[in-house]
Amino acid sequence: VSCLCGSAPCLLCGCCPSAKNSTISRLLFTFFLFLGTLVSIIMIIPGVEKELHKLPGFCEGSGSVLGVQTHVDCRSFLGHKAVYRMGFAMAAFFFLFAMIMVCVRSSKDPRAAVQNGFWFFKLLVLVGITVGAFYIPDGAFTSVWFYFGVVGSFLFILIQLVLLIDFAHSWSQLWLRNAAESDAKGWYAALCIVTFIFYAASIAAIVLLYVYYTKPEGCTEGKVLISINLILCLIVSAVSILPKIQDAQPHSGLLQASLITLYTVYVTWSALANVPTQTCNPTLLVRNSTGSATATQPLTTWWDAPSIVGLIIFILCTLFISVRSSDHPQVNKLMLTEESGAGASGEAAAVESGLHRAYDNEQDGVSYNYTFFHLCLLLAALYIMMTLTNWYRPDESLQVLTSPWTAVWVKICSSWAGLLLYLWTLVAPLVLPDRDFS
């Protein structure tokens, strides 16, 4: 009980004597997010979904929309409804802690003890919010919460893009530095091979998008979106190797551009998978209020290949947010983290005292912004909610679950924002020569 109510590293002090309090706290909050995600995945499994109507009160009020009684089978879309309520519970949980942790400057603040401890009670709070969320009557909840999910997912995709761009630059710098220090051509060969693989995968994916998501006649939207993103990817790839760009940023190159291109192709694929036109979207699946599928293929799951890839990217980016600070000061300023631990003195004190336990590394100042971290997890909860539900929503009559054009344009706009952001990282040293972008 003392460990569950005490500091975060208490349970790990025996095997992780050098672990940082802040890192373990972030990992434990991330574990709560992953736990909620696992519950959502279980609830959306068809076999489990059919049993959700047995939950007391879960179907109450599902036939009331803005005070008008409708005839909707309460067993319809139960998996979809369950994921929305689980997403609401996780978002409310992290929003609560984001508000509690506003303006916490160091672990000397009494609220820092709440951030780094009392994990048993935090779990109880999350469970309590989750149980309460399942008693929310349908009404306009699903329709309104869908737009909250859309906005939150768009913002989290932007965060993913920032992390991806930073990772690509760090990766290229690391391999080029290793090549310069060891004077080995193997590192250059590895850079060329990885870059070739990324571009080859991107080209193959674009060809498949043209084959499966467009038709010789019609599907104009899909053709235009694929072509625009292809042209933009070619532009950023060409800009990355221009002589002036290379002079300003010697570490910029095709490795970063190839990784951004591959991610852009994925986002384009994910967007096209939400096009609400059956002839232009072979993966489109619409379920009516009786639970039957109107598509020709059998209904096996609510999420498809793009959603699985999105789930993997979500896990990697969330862990990235939890355990790592960037090598670049600009990214640290944007993500509100520090380049080094704020409490190096705390580490020294722990070593001098001979205590074999995790030290509190935030005595003089927090190493990350508590509120911003919880807001990131809140956006991550909304993103995974939309991913597991395939960005689908019930129509106005609550009789059919469909994919709206809103999801398509949000994803496409996020891909454009990512390409523009990467392009800015390339041209910024030329546009602002007085600033240090080293």
Side-chain angles (χ1 to χ4, degrees), residues 80-151:
H80 183 277
K81 291 162 57 177
V83 173
Y84 264 50
R85 281 155 177 77
M86 194 68 221
F88 174 82
M90 291 190 294
F93 175 78
F94 291 119
F95 179 78
L96 173 64
F97 278 92
M99 295 298 99
I100 293 175
M101 299 300 161
V102 171
C103 296
V104 175
R105 302 302 183 188
S106 74
S107 59
K108 297 177 183 179
D109 192 309
R111 291 174 293 171
V114 179
Q115 171 77 6
N116 298 318
F118 301 98
W119 298 101
F120 177 72
F121 296 104
K122 290 176 184 175
L123 182 60
L124 289 182
V125 170
L126 178 59
V127 172
I129 296 176
T130 302
V131 172
F134 275 81
Y135 284 91
I136 299 176
D138 278 350
F141 171 77
T142 302
S143 300
V144 173
W145 194 241
F146 170 82
Y147 289 103
F148 275 91
V150 166
V151 175

Side-chain angles (χ1 to χ4, degrees), residues 220-238:
T220 304
E221 297 88 350
K223 296 176 183 177
V224 171
L225 295 179
I226 297 172
S227 301
I228 290 177
N229 279 3
L230 174 60
I231 294 172
L232 292 177
C233 289
L234 292 175
I235 291 175
V236 297
S237 298

Side-chain angles (χ1 to χ4, degrees), residues 14-15 23 25 68 84 92 96 146 150 205 223 240 265 285 314 326-327:
C15 58
T23 301
S25 295
V68 179
Y84 264 50
L96 173 64
F146 170 82
V150 166
K223 296 176 183 177
S240 67
V265 173
L285 186 61
F314 153 79
S326 173
D327 294 332

Side-chain angles (χ1 to χ4, degrees), residues 299-314:
L299 177 63
T300 57
T301 182
W302 281 110
W303 34 292
D304 53 9
S307 298
I308 296 175
V309 177
L311 177 63
I312 295 173
I313 296 175
F314 153 79

Side-chain angles (χ1 to χ4, degrees), residues 92 139 235 245 265 301 310 318 357 379 412 429 434:
I235 291 175
I245 299 296
V265 173
T301 182
T318 307
R357 60 177 177 82
L379 299 178
I412 289 296
D434 296 333

Side-chain angles (χ1 to χ4, degrees), residues 133-335:
F134 275 81
Y135 284 91
I136 299 176
D138 278 350
F141 171 77
T142 302
S143 300
V144 173
W145 194 241
F146 170 82
Y147 289 103
F148 275 91
V150 166
V151 175
S153 299
F154 177 79
L155 295 177
F156 186 74
I157 291 175
L158 294 183
I159 292 176
Q160 284 184 337
L161 291 166
V162 172
L163 298 178
L164 182 67
I165 294 172
D166 173 55
F167 172 75
H169 281 295
S170 299
W171 185 0
S172 177
Q173 289 182 12
L174 176 63
W175 282 17
L176 290 175
R177 183 167 60 248
N178 290 341
E181 293 176 354
S182 61
D183 196 21
K185 296 182 178 180
W187 291 106
Y188 294 109
L191 275 172
C192 294
I193 292 173
V194 172
T195 302
F196 174 79
I197 292 174
F198 285 164
Y199 273 122
S202 301
I203 294 173
I206 289 174
V207 172
L208 292 175
L209 291 180
Y210 275 117
V211 171
Y212 287 101
Y213 290 93
T214 63
K215 301 294 181 183
E217 297 180 359
C219 303
T220 304
E221 297 88 350
K223 296 176 183 177
V224 171
L225 295 179
I226 297 172
S227 301
I228 290 177
N229 279 3
L230 174 60
I231 294 172
L232 292 177
C233 289
L234 292 175
I235 291 175
V236 297
S237 298
V239 170
S240 67
I241 56 175
L242 290 177
K244 289 186 177 181
I245 299 296
Q246 290 291 311
D247 292 339
Q249 294 196 77
H251 291 103
S252 67
L254 290 178
L255 175 63
Q256 299 95 312
S258 65
L259 184 57
I260 299 301
T261 298
L262 185 60
Y263 183 79
T264 301
V265 173
Y266 156 71
V267 176
T268 307
W269 173 35
S270 179
L272 294 176
N274 279 108
V275 172
T277 306
Q278 187 71 58
T279 56
C280 302
N281 182 6
T283 61
L284 182 67
L285 186 61
V286 179
R287 175 185 282 190
N288 59 28
S289 61
T290 62
S292 61
T294 60
T296 56
Q297 64 269 34
L299 177 63
T300 57
T301 182
W302 281 110
W303 34 292
D304 53 9
S307 298
I308 296 175
V309 177
L311 177 63
I312 295 173
I313 296 175
F314 153 79
I315 293 174
L316 295 177
C317 286
T318 307
L319 288 175
F320 192 92
I321 293 172
S322 301
V323 302
R324 183 179 182 272
S325 292
S326 173
D327 294 332
H328 297 84
Q330 293 84 2
V331 177
N332 283 322
K333 178 179 288 188
L334 179 64
M335 301 301 294

